[in-house]
Amino acid sequence: MGSGGSKSASYNYKLTYFNARGRGEVARLCFAVAGVKYEDIRIEQADWPALKPKTPLGFLPVLNINGNELTQKLVIDRFLAGQFGLLGSSDLERSKIDEVMTTISDFTVDLSGTFFIQEEDAKATAVKNILDTKLPAMMAYIEKTMNENKTQSGYVVGGKLSVADLTVFNCLETLTNVSPTALDEYTRIRDLNTKIGIISSIAKYVASRPKTPI
């Protein structure tokens, strides 16, 4: 498992994001796995207009490290993964992890967007379109990546837990909230999801965090 090193131990972390999993959750999972303390600042929608002009680019998440701010979800996730030993064991693994993070994040954004569609028929149509046209390719990509992992560790990339696994885990949670049976025919990916979910630090965090739809 990842662990916070001496550098990260000297950092004071503050993560600001909405009171949702969304684009802030992989960072929170990194903190949970590493066992590193941070301030989890959850913003309610009513408070966002006042905060927005004070953020670097007008959106969240924002990670504050000893007064220095990082924004952009993937930048934050990569930074924390590097700090906590969740970024693979070689340059090739790091590049593959980066590929997985980018690919899965694009799919998760599409999926999460369906939660904001108010009209039920339109929402159902959007969900069906994603499940029919985008999900099979995404599942095939994850399975292919795991099959090509020479360590056959059961993780997505390399022989140990990485931020790629946490990115997939977060995506699959959103997916199964949208469609509880979506993983039924994907045994290996379902097993990966279980493997990550029973890690004690992750299970403890998931059980204690606020319950949100996305």
Side-chain angles (χ1 to χ4, degrees):
M1 304 304 158
S3 61
S6 58
K7 287 193 300 181
S8 62
S10 67
Y11 287 152
N12 179 29
Y13 295 104
K14 297 179 182 180
L15 179 68
T16 302
Y17 189 64
F18 299 106
N19 186 24
R21 296 193 312 278
R23 297 174 67 83
E25 193 65 7
V26 173
R28 295 178 184 133
L29 289 168
C30 286
F31 281 118
V33 169
V36 171
K37 292 183 179 180
Y38 70 107
E39 188 174 350
D40 185 13
I41 303 171
R42 292 174 177 257
I43 304 300
E44 299 298 337
Q45 288 293 336
D47 299 322
W48 174 232
L51 176 63
K52 183 175 181 178
K54 301 175 184 178
T55 62
L57 292 174
F59 54 77
L60 300 176
V62 173
L63 179 66
N64 186 297
I65 313 113
N66 291 358
N68 300 293
E69 289 185 324
L70 287 179
T71 191
Q72 296 283 8
K73 166 194 162 45
L74 291 178
V75 171
I76 291 170
D77 294 349
R78 290 185 196 107
F79 173 79
L80 293 175
Q83 291 295 303
F84 302 155
L86 296 168
L87 208 53
S89 301
S90 69
D91 289 342
L92 183 57
E93 284 188 7
R94 282 187 283 276
S95 295
K96 194 66 179 179
I97 288 167
D98 196 36
E99 176 190 291
V100 171
M101 291 171 66
T102 304
T103 304
I104 300 298
S105 293
D106 289 344
F107 177 79
T108 306
V109 168
D110 290 341
L111 197 60
S112 298
T114 64
F115 283 91
F116 300 100
I117 301 174
Q118 299 298 316
E119 205 278 314
E120 288 302 319
D121 287 345
K123 177 181 287 192
T125 298
V127 169
K128 185 177 187 304
N129 180 60
I130 290 173
L131 296 180
D132 289 348
T133 65
K134 296 185 177 182
L135 179 63
M138 182 56 53
M139 295 296 104
Y141 168 75
I142 297 171
E143 288 180 334
K144 181 175 183 290
T145 303
M146 293 182 71
N147 288 337
E148 292 175 349
N149 182 354
K150 294 181 180 179
T151 71
Q152 290 300 296
S153 59
Y155 294 116
V156 179
V157 179
K160 62 180 182 178
L161 180 73
S162 77
V163 68
D165 301 296
L166 301 181
T167 301
V168 172
F169 178 77
N170 181 55
C171 175
L172 295 181
E173 182 169 13
T174 301
L175 174 63
T176 52
N177 282 347
V178 170
S179 175
T181 62
L183 297 182
D184 285 0
E185 62 183 277
Y186 301 104
T187 303
R188 190 166 190 191
I189 295 174
R190 191 170 67 244
D191 290 346
L192 169 68
N193 199 43
T194 301
K195 181 184 181 76
I196 305 307
I198 63 174
I199 294 171
S200 59
S201 56
I202 292 179
K204 181 179 179 180
Y205 164 70
V206 168
S208 64
R209 72 187 176 188
K211 307 302 180 187
T212 60
I214 59 171

